Amino acid sequence: MAPEPPRTYLLLDATGNAYRSETPGLWGGHRRSRIYGRLDCRSAVRAIAVGHYVRHRVFFADEATAVAAGYRPCAICCPDRYLIWKEGNR
């Protein structure tokens, strides 16, 4: 029996293009709203639980990549980062 290929994860790079990685993403995002946050964000978890969000869910290797791809921090799970972002975008 042949060994199974390693599991891969679909992540976005700094330009917003998808690529396969053997390492799972550490940050999640929503493609339509261009928001990123922690994987355990209560807002995202609640939306996923009722069947929303999943279709537009994306993942990033790190926070810097999410920011470079044009995503903003979530106000719920990253309030400190969100306030800094908000101040810079007035």
Side-chain angles (χ1 to χ4, degrees):
M1 181 162 63
E4 288 188 38
R7 180 181 173 134
T8 61
Y9 302 88
L10 191 61
L11 306 180
L12 292 187
D13 66 15
T15 62
N17 292 315
Y19 70 96
R20 291 264 170 212
S21 171
E22 290 184 13
T23 306
L26 299 177
W27 293 85
H30 188 266
R31 185 183 310 272
R32 292 182 107 189
S33 60
R34 314 265 315 164
I35 296 173
Y36 76 89
R38 296 182 354 206
L39 296 178
D40 64 347
C41 175
R42 70 177 189 262
S43 179
V45 169
R46 190 177 9 215
I48 290 166
V50 296
H52 299 193
Y53 203 83
V54 176
R55 186 171 161 193
H56 303 286
R57 186 88 159 139
V58 294
F59 298 94
F60 300 96
D62 53 49
E63 187 175 13
T65 303
V67 172
Y71 285 67
R72 73 155 175 88
C74 173
I76 303 300
C77 66
C78 303
D80 53 337
R81 293 170 179 90
Y82 173 75
L83 289 175
I84 293 167
W85 173 85
K86 187 176 176 182
E87 285 298 317
N89 287 287
R90 285 187 176 209

